[in-house]
Structure formats: C-alpha cells, structure tokens
Amino acid sequence: MTPVTKPAILDRMQVLSDPMRSRLLAVLDRAELTVSELCDVVQAPQSTVSRHLRVLADDGWIEARREGTNRHYSMTERLDEEAGRLWEVVGGELRDAPFGEHDAMRLASVLRRRRERSRDFFDRTAGEWDELRQELYGETAELSAALALLDDGWTVGDLGCGTGRVADRLAPWIARLVAVDASRSMLDEARRRLARHDNVDLRRGDLEELPLEDGELDTALLVLVLHHLPQPEVVLAEVRRVLKPGGRLVILDMVPHDRTEYRSQMGHLWLGFEEEELAGWLEAAGLEAARYSVLPPDPAARGPMLFVATARRPDSGGNGASEEPSEAIEERSG
C-alpha cells in the first residue's frame, strides 16, 4: 500500500491555524515592527510574541532586519505562490474580524507615537539642529548628494582643472570628464588624484585654444579660473565652441573686491567680476540665458565672496547658433 504524502500546504495551514500567529502576520503585513511594538499591538507578553515569531520565521512567513540592538520584523516579500494564495484567503478574513480592526487601530497608534518621537526631537533641538547636523554628517553632505542630479550620460569639461579637486567629485556621476589645464605641474597632481577614475581624460592646453572638438561637451566648468585669464571674453567664446547646442557653462568666481595684494601673491589678473560686465562678455560670446547669483558667505572663509554664473549655448538653428560670434573669432585669432 502506497503511503499517503501530506501536501505541504497543510503544514502552512497548521502554522496559520493559531490565531495569535495569524494576527501577528496580519500586523506585519502592514508595517515593519519591533517585538515591543508588536506586544503593544496584539496586547500579549513579549515571551508569547517572540515564541510565535520564531515559528513564523522558521516557516518562511516573516523576515527580520537588525538595527543596532533591535530586530525589526516584517512579512517576507518572497512568499511562494502557494503560500501567497493561502495568505490571500486568511488575511482577508482577519481584516474583517473584530480583533483585526482593533489590531489595526492599535498599530496606527504605535506608528503615530513613532512620528511624535521624531517630531518632539526636532522641536527640542531646532535651535541647535544645524550645528548637530554638521557634526554628524559634515558640511558638504547635501552638496555631495546634489551631484546625483547630474545626467549620467554627460561629458563635462573641467576647464582650468588645477589639481583635479572638482573633477574628483564629479567623475563618479557622469559618463566622461575632460580635465584641461595649462600647467604641467597641476596636471601631474591631478593625474595622481584622479587615477582611480577610468572616465577622466586629462589634457594640457591653454583655455584660449582648448584641446577639444567642436560641440564635445554637455557642460563646461570654470571654477575659480576666470580671474587668472588676461582675456576672459576670448575664453568664453572658445567655451561656446566646445559646447553642444543647448550645453551649459557654469562659472564660479569672486565678486569685485579690493584685495590688490592678490595680484602679486597669487597672480590674479582681475579683482572679481561685476554682473553686468560678465553678462556682456557672455552675450558677445554667443551664450544666452545668463544668470549671476552671489553665494552666502562661509564664516570659515577668509577670501572674497563668491558668485555662480550660468549660461548656455543656444539650441541648433536658433539665432545663428551654429556660427561662432565673429568678434570673438577675430580676437582669438589675432
């Protein structure tokens, strides 16, 4: 006589046949909770809840996530098809049962207390929050996260890249980065810093005659570079050449200041730039939609205040965008 094999579904039904286990599973189907929170919801002692959680875990109904000294339990997202069909029936019955409604109300109360604890913390620490946040995460955490807004298909040019500090930050977020500098020593430092990135192309050349093809860049950066250049307007026209139609230029530099010692100490040729002056150069270079914003001062910084300016090369076919501004060409070639 052939022995009768018990279907696996009967074992799964046996686990759920205990009302407490089914209630716990119904709660964990709604939210991830600790043991103490589950005790509050189902109004049972910790030993009882823990015992039933072990049975549910052994049968694959729930999973646990460790966070510090706590374990957070939730219904598994990897139920097999047979268990999924079974829970669809059992779970539906529990939701309509009176104790299921009461468990749901107590669960809402537990989750509300969570939110209130977080809100109470911020109410108590609002005055010190900026200092605490900086202590925990540093000064640049938000700015580093903002790099994720970059298009991962872009080619970006760091023009006047220096030792590669900016390029090092940008490289992980984009397809390709071209770093250009006229100084061999600066490029040597940049090469050491950027060696871990396989998408960085280092090129030596003057910004007045960039070693780049026409329309090679989606975005160009001039970070604390413009004040070192004898003819910024010529460089801006050259930047326009290497930008794709619709490509953007970002400039970070100093607002006008009176630190004349910078000329001899650091080779500065310009003591900052007025908005109107820069806007005129950008327009003459064939760049449009210029914006100029002064940055809030950094209390730890000892230098002049900074601004960020942006502009873009017009899209193809608009306002003669495919032709280089004649004045800029003549000045560069002269």
Side-chain angles (χ1 to χ4, degrees):
M1 182 174 182
T2 305
V4 177
T5 303
K6 184 173 66 171
I9 189 67
L10 297 180
D11 290 329
R12 312 304 294 270
M13 292 172 63
Q14 186 174 355
V15 170
L16 296 187
S17 65
D18 185 285
M20 180 57 70
R21 286 198 287 269
S22 293
R23 287 175 63 192
L24 287 169
L25 192 57
V27 173
L28 294 176
D29 192 16
R30 296 170 181 254
E32 182 186 64
L33 299 171
T34 64
V35 171
S36 62
E37 289 173 330
L38 282 167
C39 291
D40 291 341
V41 173
V42 298
Q43 296 185 320
Q46 182 170 335
S47 58
T48 300
V49 170
S50 296
R51 184 176 72 254
H52 288 299
L53 288 177
R54 281 194 295 272
V55 176
L56 289 169
D58 290 343
D59 203 44
W61 289 100
I62 64 172
E63 54 194 11
R65 177 179 63 87
R66 182 177 290 280
E67 187 176 82
T69 58
N70 288 326
R71 282 183 177 272
H72 297 256
Y73 294 88
S74 61
M75 187 170 182
T76 184
E77 296 180 358
R78 301 184 298 274
L79 284 179
D80 57 58
E81 184 177 353
E82 190 175 68
R85 290 199 306 270
L86 175 61
W87 179 244
E88 187 175 344
V89 175
V90 176
E93 292 292 329
L94 292 177
R95 280 190 293 271
D96 296 334
F99 61 78
E101 295 179 6
H102 296 164
D103 287 348
M105 293 172 64
R106 286 189 289 268
L107 172 61
S109 178
V110 166
L111 297 178
R112 185 165 55 250
R113 288 203 302 271
R114 277 190 192 174
R115 291 191 294 270
E116 289 171 353
R117 284 198 300 270
S118 178
R119 189 180 301 119
D120 289 345
F121 167 77
F122 287 111
D123 287 344
R124 293 194 312 271
T125 62
E128 299 82 33
W129 173 238
D130 287 347
E131 182 178 347
L132 177 59
R133 187 185 182 102
Q134 180 176 323
E135 180 181 327
L136 289 173
Y137 311 118
E139 294 183 356
T140 61
E142 296 91 342
L143 293 178
S144 297
L147 293 174
L149 295 171
L150 295 173
D151 191 310
D152 59 7
W154 276 355
T155 295
V156 174
D158 184 6
L159 311 180
C161 65
T163 60
R165 182 179 179 184
V166 173
D168 189 40
R169 290 285 188 89
L170 294 176
W173 301 97
I174 57 177
R176 182 166 162 261
L177 190 141
V178 182
V180 178
D181 206 281
S183 168
R184 192 182 302 276
S185 297
M186 285 288 191
L187 283 177
D188 287 342
E189 292 295 324
R191 186 169 291 106
R192 282 189 283 272
R193 171 175 267 159
L194 300 171
R196 64 193 181 95
H197 302 296
D198 59 7
N199 63 335
V200 173
D201 182 2
L202 289 168
R203 302 181 188 179
R204 184 165 179 254
D206 294 325
L207 301 194
E208 292 84 356
E209 295 184 49
L210 288 167
L212 290 158
E213 299 295 328
D214 293 358
E216 188 171 346
L217 303 179
D218 294 284
T219 299
L221 307 176
L222 291 169
V223 177
L224 297 174
V225 171
L226 215 58
H227 58 267
H228 286 290
L229 303 173
Q231 294 180 295
E233 65 275 25
V234 175
V235 174
L236 295 177
E238 182 70 348
V239 169
R240 180 194 181 281
R241 177 185 69 81
V242 301
L243 283 174
K244 295 176 181 178
R248 290 192 171 275
L249 166 64
V250 178
I251 300 170
L252 174 69
D253 220 297
M254 297 177 291
V255 301
H257 60 86
D258 58 2
R259 313 279 182 94
T260 56
E261 66 273 16
Y262 286 4
R263 294 187 185 276
S264 58
Q265 291 176 353
M266 293 180 282
H268 288 199
L269 301 180
W270 299 82
L271 299 181
F273 301 96
E274 296 278 3
E275 179 177 2
E276 293 78 8
E277 178 180 44
L278 184 60
W281 287 341
L282 291 169
E283 183 179 2
L287 297 166
E288 64 180 16
R291 298 173 62 188
Y292 181 107
S293 301
V294 177
L295 298 179
D298 184 341
R302 295 182 297 170
M305 292 180 62
L306 303 175
F307 71 85
V308 171
T310 60
R312 69 179 180 87
R313 177 175 174 171
D315 293 326
S316 295
N319 302 321
S322 61
E323 298 179 3
E324 204 168 5
S326 58
E327 293 181 8
I329 294 175
E330 292 172 4
E331 194 164 1
R332 190 173 73 247
S333 60

